[in-house]
Amino acid sequence: MSYKNISLTSKLPNVGTTIFTVMSALAAEKNAVNLGQGFPDFDCDPELVNAVTRAMQSGFNQYPPMAGVPALREVVASKISVLYAHDYSAMTEITITAGATQAILTAILAVVHAGDEVIVLEPCYDSYVPNIELAGGMPVRVPLTPGTFRPDFDRIAAALTPKTRAIIINSPHNPSGTVWTALEMQQLETLLTSTNVLLISDEVYEHMVFDGHSHQSAASYPGLAERAFVVSSFGKTFHVTGWKVGYVAAPAFLSHEFRKVHQFNVFTVNTPMQHALAHYMCNPAPYSTLSNFYQAKRDLFRAGLAQTRFKLLPCEGSYFQSVDTSEVSPLSEADFCKWLTTEVGVAAIPTSAFYGDGFDHHVIRFCFAKKNETLEKASTRLSTL
Ligand code: PMP
Ligand code: GLN
């Protein structure tokens, strides 16, 4: 690429505007109900906003310590200890990040050298592959089983080579809503034992797991925890996706390398939000009741779609409901989502956007992190299909 007489080789030649931005823009243009990009359309607890105001008024407005406000790291370490039975040191093993996106990029930049291979399980979140490429690594794409989106350990095992530096997993899964079972975590643990492969475990939807099941954190499996960056996002858990605050928990030897990159990447993350979160998280209720809160929304939305020709895929966790569109339309996923936004007035995300080769199996994703009235409005519009 060149501009006037300046030439430039793109570091990410295949990257365009993300599908989330594209679909949100189309939804706004067409005045559609936006069930595309994943974000709540309701506000967070006013107590959390008050806590930020109080933090700012109390003078917490300068740089915090590089790894994060100690009180927040303490409360995160204690939450992980209670829920997942693994004790991380708040001092040396928990780092507060600018959302999960920065946590994942920083982890990759910290450990992936040029030519290293990193396994991703497709469909996967859109930042992983460009992150690996920015580090000079080689993405190795292994499909989750088509139709069920469950991990296929034979294929993962076949993808491991002496060059494999890391594998990225995501449960609860965006886009499919699949939640890994204890057995699947144990299978991964067995597979990685006696390898040099690191794990990046994207657990941003950890507090949204339905039907009485529980989230299986990599932190709970010693053979995984010893090699894992466990990543989460306060944005998802507390309905504040725009705050961009998250964390990474990792053994000291990994956190040490992570922080070297972090300090020259963002250095620190905004102070008042960290103080507010530290205060707010002393009460576990907001995150311990989140699964029930979202399960009710899932059920409302599924009931609204029950009479349509969409085939509802299972949704075990996350705030995404996937549907098979093949009985509604022969259009490709991307064309169908554009048509649905424009003609029906409901925006969704094509699953093909989560595959490197655009694999299309007529499955689209709706986000149900919406007010009940929004879900009802969307269901009414979709009811004709
Ligand atoms: N991973 C997954 C699977 C996600 O869905 C998201 C949300 N966009 C992120 C990471 C990024 O989270 P954050 O907004 O905290 O950067
Ligand atoms: N994680 C959100 C989703 O999957 C989108 C975040 C973004 O727009 N980058 O919808």
Side-chain angles (χ1 to χ4, degrees):
M1 196 206 269
S2 66
Y3 175 73
K4 294 187 179 164
N5 58 349
I6 304 170
S7 71
L8 178 67
T9 303
S10 174
K11 295 194 94 171
L12 296 172
N14 302 322
V15 165
T17 307
T18 80
I19 187 68
F20 310 114
T21 305
V22 169
M23 291 313 298
S24 279
L26 189 64
E29 185 193 322
K30 304 293 179 190
N31 207 14
V33 181
N34 189 357
L35 304 190
Q37 193 177 22
F39 63 90
D41 73 342
F42 45 85
D43 220 343
C44 66
D45 186 342
E47 173 49 27
L48 187 51
V49 175
N50 291 339
V52 177
T53 308
R54 280 200 304 276
M56 290 196 276
Q57 287 170 339
S58 307
F60 291 119
N61 297 305
Q62 309 309 327
Y63 297 128
M66 184 269 280
V69 166
L72 182 55
R73 285 188 271 146
E74 293 285 354
V75 76
V76 167
S78 102
K79 181 199 82 164
I80 296 175
S81 173
V82 170
L83 293 182
Y84 308 131
H86 185 99
D87 290 323
Y88 286 102
S89 155
M91 279 293 289
T92 58
E93 301 186 314
I94 306 280
T95 307
I96 308 302
T97 61
T101 310
Q102 184 240 319
I104 294 164
L105 173 63
T106 301
I108 290 171
L109 290 176
V111 300
V112 174
H113 291 255
D116 285 354
E117 293 175 2
V118 181
I119 297 175
V120 297
L121 306 181
E122 287 194 322
C124 69
Y125 189 57
D126 65 346
S127 71
Y128 301 165
V129 165
N131 284 182
I132 296 162
E133 289 170 346
L134 282 174
M138 305 283 293
V140 176
R141 303 164 189 274
V142 175
L144 293 164
T145 307
T148 65
F149 299 99
R150 304 233 65 98
D152 179 335
F153 288 99
D154 291 337
R155 294 193 77 151
I156 298 172
L160 290 172
T161 77
K163 284 186 172 176
T164 309
R165 175 69 284 189
I167 174 167
I168 307 180
I169 64 170
N170 171 218
S171 173
H173 184 235
N174 179 5
S176 74
T178 305
V179 173
W180 283 39
T181 62
L183 182 63
E184 286 165 337
M185 296 300 282
Q186 283 157 5
Q187 283 177 285
L188 183 68
E189 190 177 34
T190 305
L191 193 62
L192 298 188
T193 307
S194 77
T195 73
N196 207 20
V197 175
L198 301 176
L199 173 65
I200 298 174
S201 185
D202 180 345
E203 304 185 10
V204 299
Y205 302 104
E206 63 177 317
H207 299 296
M208 304 169 201
V209 177
F210 311 137
D211 305 318
H213 295 289
S214 54
H215 171 62
Q216 301 298 317
S217 174
S220 300
Y221 297 82
L224 296 178
E226 67 181 7
R227 63 184 70 237
F229 293 97
V230 175
V231 174
S232 192
S233 167
F234 300 111
K236 312 286 177 196
T237 303
F238 298 123
H239 316 309
V240 287
T241 59
W243 286 14
K244 299 298 297 183
V245 190
Y247 65 83
V248 60
F253 80 104
L254 292 178
S255 290
H256 182 68
E257 290 303 316
F258 182 96
R259 290 178 182 183
K260 287 185 192 172
V261 179
H262 179 78
Q263 76 173 342
F264 294 130
N265 179 190
V266 287
F267 178 52
T268 50
V269 177
N270 79 74
T271 309
M273 264 67 173
Q274 292 194 54
H275 281 278
L277 287 162
H279 164 77
Y280 190 69
M281 279 186 71
C282 290
N283 174 11
Y287 59 84
S288 63
T289 57
L290 196 68
S291 289
N292 285 344
F293 172 82
Y294 274 124
Q295 184 171 326
K297 291 197 178 291
R298 178 201 67 172
D299 292 346
L300 177 71
F301 187 55
R302 286 177 72 92
L305 296 189
Q307 302 309 319
T308 67
R309 282 173 296 151
F310 287 128
K311 190 170 148 231
L312 297 168
L313 274 57
C315 169
E316 303 169 333
S318 83
Y319 49 45
F320 300 115
Q321 173 65 55
S322 289
V323 302
D324 184 317
T325 62
S326 42
E327 286 190 18
V328 179
S329 163
L331 287 175
S332 71
E333 293 171 7
D335 286 344
F336 184 77
C337 286
K338 282 186 195 132
W339 174 83
L340 197 67
T341 309
T342 309
E343 302 299 330
V344 181
V346 180
I349 299 289
T351 304
S352 51
F354 295 75
Y355 288 93
D357 63 359
F359 175 63
D360 191 313
H361 54 324
H362 300 283
V363 175
I364 64 168
R365 186 198 85 177
F366 292 109
C367 172
F368 56 78
K370 306 292 166 188
K371 294 176 198 146
N372 289 356
E373 67 209 59
T374 309
L375 296 174
E376 280 155 6
K377 188 170 169 188
S379 300
T380 305
R381 292 185 181 185
L382 295 169
S383 64
T384 54
L385 299 176

